[in-house]
Amino acid sequence: MTGKLQICIHRGTREIGGSCVELEYDGKRIVVDLGLPLNAELEATELPHIPAIHSADGSLLGVLLSHGHRDHWGLLPKLPAGINVHLGRKTLAIMAAAAPFIPGGYAPDYAVVYEDQEAFELGPFRITPHLMDHSGFDAYGFLIEAGGRRIYYSGDIRGHGRKAALFERFLVSPPADIDVLLMEGSSLGRLSTAQRFQTESEIEERLIETIRRTAGIVLVACSAQNIDRVVSVYRAAKRSGRQMLVDAYAAEVLKATDTKSIPKPTDEWPDVKVYIPQAQRRFLKEKNIAALVDAYKGRRVFPEALSEEAAKSVMLMRPWMLRDLAQARALMGASAIWSQWDGYLKEGGGIKFQDACRAASVGFEIIHTSGHADPHDLQRFAEAMRAKKLVPIHTFQPDQFEGLFANVARVIDGEWFYA
């Protein structure tokens, strides 16, 4: 039906991950996020039922990507050629930098970048991105207007990260007159209303405590794309009189942020060094990108120097690097910190990593906080927005929304509704 703005959440009304929303007005459509469900494989996962993706009728005007986490972009590689993907400039740069290093890495060929609070138009849709605090760097929510209706898609948000000021800025002056708020609820079911996630600054203090009581190298297993966490690790290392070591993947991601305040292996950051594990050296040669290490000249720590550098270093690492460190005799008095979702520790790779740490007499602890808002901040967000209708999305617990927020209207995957 023309003349009315319609919305369909293809995936996300009852799960976290695989986010996908379609909006239609006057025969024209946009899609917001096209994620891969958690624990799903790309090859085995079909695109949501969006005929316009495969149609030549020209009704699909583009895909909006809120940020660079795979549960929001993971099905984009299955898009037919020629469909524009609109995303943040730094998101695109990080995806492009990471793509050669990670299985299934991807950056869109048909990319159009947007900027914070700079509105743009796609046919009858007017879109205003709002930069938000999230563990994914350069993450946005969207105000989407069409046919006199105003929709806000929260994307993934939080108020306890290093960009918490963005969250507070938004609450002071949110978009007004919102007809429908599509709001994430990732933390529901994990915390009570009274519980709060630790702030990134509190994580930094906990990291410092571990670093200062560790005689040897401190190994931090975290995502290099969690830039807030990398900054916390760097600040904790610096405040403890140590340098930070990163591999080539992390180095390229940090450089891609193109942000002066983000540590990276350049002359401006003399206490950020690059260690390239043996498997990664082979990988770079096989991918024919070994030349990128030339940019780290004078900033490298080589395997033969690791044992000497260990006691003055904090290293961003992944579990498979532990063998290299053992061979380099760099694990004497070492500690390992798991600084990502603890659910991974219950899977094969996480279990093996803990076993390997025990076998090498490496101390092990978890220091982490969520990339998503706790219930308290979700309530503050919803109250500030004052939407006529609040629709749960990106949550395993949609049934908890009515008890926490006003004007809740639950829908199901694949159901079209009017704004």
Side-chain angles (χ1 to χ4, degrees):
M1 180 181 294
T2 61
K4 291 187 178 180
L5 176 59
Q6 297 186 90
I7 306 168
C8 178
I9 300 174
H10 289 282
R11 187 182 289 114
T13 64
R14 286 170 175 78
E15 68 179 292
I16 295 171
S19 296
C20 180
V21 179
E22 182 181 2
L23 294 91
E24 185 272 339
Y25 176 75
D26 204 16
K28 298 298 183 182
R29 306 166 188 275
I30 57 174
V31 170
V32 184
D33 287 338
L34 195 58
L36 184 68
L38 300 178
N39 300 318
E41 297 294 333
L42 177 62
E43 295 75 14
T45 306
E46 297 295 326
L47 286 168
H49 183 64
I50 306 175
I53 282 181
H54 301 286
S55 170
D57 64 8
S59 65
L60 181 59
L61 304 178
V63 176
L64 307 181
L65 178 60
S66 62
H67 64 286
H69 280 163
R70 198 180 295 255
D71 64 329
H72 291 257
W73 68 254
L75 290 178
L76 286 178
K78 290 195 169 185
L79 270 183
I83 298 175
N84 285 339
V85 177
H86 300 258
L87 71 172
R89 177 176 59 85
K90 294 181 181 181
T91 298
L92 176 60
I94 289 173
M95 291 178 72
F101 291 91
I102 57 178
Y106 165 83
D109 293 325
Y110 298 89
V112 182
V113 298
Y114 55 69
E115 297 289 344
D116 179 33
Q117 301 187 71
E118 292 187 9
F120 62 96
E121 294 182 355
L122 290 177
F125 299 96
R126 180 177 173 85
I127 299 131
T128 307
H130 289 266
L131 183 63
M132 299 301 291
D133 181 26
H134 179 50
S135 56
F137 195 70
D138 201 37
Y140 296 83
F142 299 115
L143 171 64
I144 303 172
E145 303 170 84
R149 309 297 282 175
R150 290 163 63 85
I151 313 303
Y152 194 83
Y153 175 80
S154 73
D156 288 359
I157 54 173
R158 67 176 177 180
H160 57 271
R162 294 204 166 272
K163 302 178 293 298
L166 292 173
F167 184 78
E168 299 301 330
R169 179 189 75 176
F170 187 88
L171 298 191
V172 169
S173 184
D177 302 318
I178 298 300
D179 294 293
V180 177
L181 168 61
L182 305 174
M183 190 181 79
E184 72 122 307
S186 298
S187 67
L188 303 188
R190 298 170 56 194
L191 295 180
S192 70
T193 307
Q195 288 179 303
R196 305 297 306 275
F197 285 126
Q198 286 190 312
T199 67
E200 202 64 42
S201 294
E202 289 171 330
I203 292 298
E204 178 183 328
E205 296 302 324
R206 290 183 60 195
L207 290 167
I208 288 172
E209 290 176 8
T210 298
I211 293 169
R212 289 181 175 171
R213 68 168 182 260
T214 300
I217 195 169
V218 177
L219 309 171
V220 183
C222 73
S223 168
Q225 294 191 46
N226 186 345
I227 305 299
D228 275 16
R229 186 60 42 78
V230 175
V231 171
S232 295
V233 172
Y234 170 79
R235 286 175 54 85
K238 186 176 183 65
R239 290 173 61 191
S240 304
R242 297 197 185 205
Q243 63 190 2
M244 183 172 75
L245 303 183
V246 299
D247 70 341
Y249 163 58
E252 293 302 300
V253 167
L254 292 170
K255 287 162 60 179
T257 64
D258 190 29
T259 301
K260 288 184 178 180
S261 60
I262 303 300
K264 55 189 71 68
T266 63
D267 291 342
E268 291 76 21
W269 300 87
D271 46 4
V272 180
K273 303 287 182 63
V274 178
Y275 166 71
I276 303 178
Q278 182 178 357
Q280 194 171 72
R281 291 198 297 272
R282 291 196 302 267
F283 171 85
L284 293 171
K285 290 179 180 178
E286 291 168 0
K287 287 280 187 176
N288 201 29
I289 55 174
L292 66 79
V293 304
D294 294 341
Y296 315 141
K297 189 175 182 180
R299 315 218 57 78
R300 296 274 302 276
V301 172
F302 293 92
E304 56 270 22
L306 263 183
S307 60
E308 183 180 340
E309 298 285 324
K312 58 182 181 181
S313 300
V314 176
M315 177 185 285
L316 295 187
M317 59 91 69
R318 276 157 290 158
W320 58 266
M321 297 181 186
L322 201 61
R323 179 177 296 180
D324 276 44
L325 296 167
Q327 291 176 346
R329 300 177 183 272
L331 293 179
M332 181 71 69
S335 290
I337 297 169
W338 188 263
S339 199
Q340 51 194 318
W341 184 50
D342 60 6
Y344 295 133
L345 291 174
K346 301 170 186 175
E347 300 173 356
I351 293 171
K352 289 180 180 178
F353 179 55
Q354 294 173 86
D355 289 344
C357 286
R358 279 191 290 269
S361 298
V362 173
F364 183 90
E365 64 181 305
I366 301 171
I367 301 178
H368 183 55
T369 194
S370 177
H372 297 268
D374 54 39
H376 173 80
D377 278 340
L378 286 175
Q379 287 181 317
R380 294 177 64 212
F381 187 85
E383 289 167 2
M385 294 295 287
R386 300 171 62 91
K388 297 180 182 69
K389 185 187 297 184
L390 189 159
V391 177
I393 191 172
H394 204 55
T395 181
F396 286 123
Q397 304 292 337
D399 55 311
Q400 293 193 14
F401 273 67
E402 282 92 347
L404 294 171
F405 314 109
N407 304 323
V408 173
R410 288 174 56 183
V411 299
I412 61 175
D413 286 358
E415 174 186 356
W416 284 94
F417 61 96
Y418 292 117

